[in-house]
Amino acid sequence: GNFFLISEFSKLDYERRVNDLTAWYVSAGYQIGAFTPHATFSELRENESNNGPGSARVSQTTTVGVRWDVHESAALKFEFYTIQDKGMTTMDGDADAFAIALDITF
């Protein structure tokens, strides 16, 4: 049909020097004619496994956008991202971004 839902989860366990990581995302969208609005929520979590207390980082990203199929072999994409630093270190900080892309298939 016109609706899509996709998700993924991953976990990386390191033996030393680097903290273990877990990451996941959930994305959904709905195609309406030549347009597909979509939204994604994701999280990257660093566990304090190998570098000790206070070393964990956590970031959450929310993305909203729309894909416009301008031609059978071209799509114009508009997306807005907001990234929130939720970790104990706050070393990454919050950020917002807007992206425009043109995908062409030959």
Side-chain angles (χ1 to χ4, degrees), residues 13-86:
D13 292 324
Y14 296 103
E15 292 187 17
R16 59 187 138 160
R17 295 199 177 160
V18 179
N19 285 340
D20 296 342
L21 299 173
T22 56
W24 59 269
Y25 77 89
V26 175
S27 184
Y30 189 80
Q31 185 175 7
I32 306 164
F35 296 92
T36 307
H38 59 86
T40 302
F41 185 76
S42 64
E43 181 178 274
L44 173 67
R45 182 175 297 273
E46 186 176 48
N47 304 315
E48 298 175 342
S49 52
N50 297 319
N51 288 335
S55 64
R57 294 179 357 193
V58 178
S59 66
Q60 295 176 339
T61 304
T62 303
T63 305
V64 293
V66 64
R67 172 190 169 116
W68 176 27
D69 295 324
V70 295
H71 186 269
E72 63 184 29
S73 62
L76 189 58
K77 299 177 182 179
F78 303 90
E79 292 184 332
F80 175 75
Y81 308 86
T82 182
I83 302 168
Q84 295 180 318
D85 185 350
K86 302 279 189 174

